[in-house]
Amino acid sequence: MYADPTPETGQERTGLERTGLERTDHESAGPEGARPDGSARRAVRLRLRPDPWKRGPVLAASALLLGLLMLLHGSVPNRIGHLGSLLETFLPWLGVFVPVLLAGALLRRSASAVVALLLPVMVWLNLFGGLLGDRSRSGGDLTLVSHNVGADNPDPAGTARDLVAADADVLALEEITPEAGGVYERELARTYPFHTLLGTVGLWSRLPLSDTRTVDIEMDYGPLAATKPVDPASTRALRTTVATKQGPLVVYVAHLASVRVTPRDGFGTAQRDRGVRAIGTAVAGERNKRVVLLGDLNGTVDDRAFAGLTARMRSAQDAAGEGFGFTWPAGFPVARIDQILVGGVTADSSWVLPATGSDHLPVAARISW
């Protein structure tokens, strides 16, 4: 209990009496003393909220930056860690940030962020919208299959049988180990009477082969490269000619150098890029303009390093496939680094085959003249 003097008598009154008096006075207060109701408080809060166009400035800025990054990806420099090539390798995946930003914009009720998202959406659709549908058509004169069979493949015989089931006319294999080479030759011999195996790459064909030779993709470089003895077992690219009913078809099979992401070098593509240039130079020098390139190129056709090659040849998947056709890693593919590129012929269809014992998925295409 506590007490204070009453205004009239100066006598103290108890806390209970004072509380009762205050309650009575408050309850008897007129409209001027009334507390604001819930609707009034809500109205005040609504007036204090920022305008929808002013909400989520960070989300709006992020959306614009995402769109500009996709639009100007070619301007991202490669001088430091080959950041441009790294970005372009996984460029389609930038689209996954659009629904994330959209969810944030709706949660914040930000009109500016929603409008800003139109830029990355339009840029992504311009770059990759054409790959979403099925671009294949019926027909075709020749079926091509390419597969990095994997050096650690535990079942090369099973992989060979899976590839025979694909019913290809021309079959290219990469990353063949000395131990597995004989297995593939034995398992494929009945279906493919013609074949060549040079180092770690090989080509099996139902049709005759001629003018087969190795291709130097400059795995060794520098002032001492020319003095090093040639090791046939280290060959990673070949060139041959397939005799078809429509005339000769030049076929390249290549396994370009792997790329690594390291703290020191960033996206290490230097050795692969030399291989791309070497293959591009060889293709440019062909008298026969009907040329196909099959193999594990360790890069996507969006990577600027392949610009010289893709200026002469087109991806069968882009021309006549369905979707992106990702091939690596086989368990959860995130990039198409296994390619069938065509020049002087038409790709009618392209698809990805089921997984084998390799960490890459096989790729296939039908071509015509």
Side-chain angles (χ1 to χ4, degrees):
M1 292 289 184
Y2 60 89
D4 59 359
T6 63
E8 296 84 358
T9 65
Q11 295 178 349
E12 294 183 345
R13 62 183 180 185
T14 66
L16 182 59
E17 291 170 337
R18 189 182 68 171
T19 304
L21 177 62
E22 290 176 349
R23 183 182 300 114
T24 302
D25 291 344
H26 187 77
E27 290 174 351
S28 62
E32 293 182 358
R35 293 180 178 177
D37 59 14
S39 61
R41 289 195 298 271
R42 284 194 296 272
V44 171
R45 285 198 299 268
L46 287 174
R47 284 195 296 270
L48 293 176
R49 284 182 179 177
D51 184 271
W53 292 98
K54 297 180 180 179
R55 296 180 198 145
V58 174
L59 289 169
S62 299
L64 292 175
L65 287 174
L66 177 62
L68 290 173
L69 185 61
M70 289 191 287
L71 180 65
L72 304 175
H73 65 86
S75 300
V76 177
N78 248 354
R79 292 187 300 273
I80 302 175
H82 289 85
L83 290 179
S85 287
L86 178 60
L87 171 65
E88 289 161 347
T89 297
F90 301 103
L91 192 60
W93 289 97
L94 290 184
V96 303
F97 292 104
V98 170
V100 174
L101 291 173
L102 178 60
L106 295 177
L107 186 64
R108 292 281 290 118
R109 299 180 182 179
S110 171
S112 59
V114 172
V115 172
L117 277 168
L118 291 176
L119 176 61
V121 169
M122 296 303 295
V123 173
W124 192 93
L125 289 175
N126 180 64
L127 291 172
F128 305 111
L131 301 180
L132 298 179
D134 185 357
R135 303 170 297 284
S136 65
R137 50 189 171 271
S138 59
D141 300 311
L142 206 67
T143 300
L144 311 172
V145 167
S146 177
H147 188 28
N148 178 326
V149 292
D152 298 324
N153 192 326
D155 185 17
T159 295
R161 290 191 292 269
D162 291 340
L163 295 173
V164 167
D167 197 28
D169 297 298
V170 175
L171 169 64
L173 302 184
E174 306 90 44
E175 205 170 288
I176 304 172
T177 63
E179 297 77 17
V183 177
Y184 290 114
E185 288 180 313
R186 183 173 63 253
E187 294 291 335
L188 299 173
R190 181 177 298 179
T191 305
Y192 299 101
F194 307 98
H195 89 280
T196 179
L197 176 58
L198 299 177
T200 64
V201 293
L203 189 76
W204 280 258
S205 174
R206 299 180 189 270
L207 304 170
L209 305 177
S210 62
D211 195 19
T212 301
R213 58 178 182 268
T214 63
V215 178
D216 181 10
I217 58 172
E218 301 183 16
M219 295 295 291
D220 289 324
Y221 65 99
L224 299 179
T227 66
K228 295 181 179 180
V230 177
D231 181 7
S234 65
T235 297
R236 293 172 63 118
L238 64 83
R239 181 258 192 217
T240 191
T241 302
V242 179
T244 75
K245 293 180 180 180
Q246 293 76 22
L249 175 69
V250 175
V251 178
Y252 283 83
V253 182
H255 181 197
L256 300 186
S258 299
V259 298
R260 298 285 188 271
V261 179
T262 64
R264 178 180 177 181
D265 300 325
F267 193 51
T269 65
Q271 198 169 48
R272 182 210 63 184
D273 293 349
R274 285 193 300 273
V276 174
R277 290 191 293 269
I279 291 290
T281 300
V283 169
E286 287 290 345
R287 293 184 178 181
N288 186 349
K289 298 307 178 184
R290 293 174 178 173
V291 183
V292 297
L293 169 59
L294 313 172
D296 173 7
L297 304 188
N298 272 306
T300 71
V301 292
D302 295 314
D303 189 334
R304 68 191 66 180
F306 291 84
L309 191 58
T310 55
R312 299 178 179 275
M313 310 183 77
R314 189 176 183 189
S315 162
Q317 179 67 24
D318 285 1
E322 181 177 6
F324 292 95
F326 294 147
T327 63
W328 179 89
F332 186 79
V334 298
R336 184 181 177 91
I337 63 175
D338 302 273
Q339 309 289 351
I340 297 179
L341 305 183
V342 300
V345 294
T346 300
D348 295 299
S349 56
S350 179
W351 63 100
V352 177
L353 295 169
T356 68
S358 172
D359 58 340
H360 293 245
L361 296 177
V363 294
R366 289 277 294 169
I367 63 171
S368 62
W369 275 250

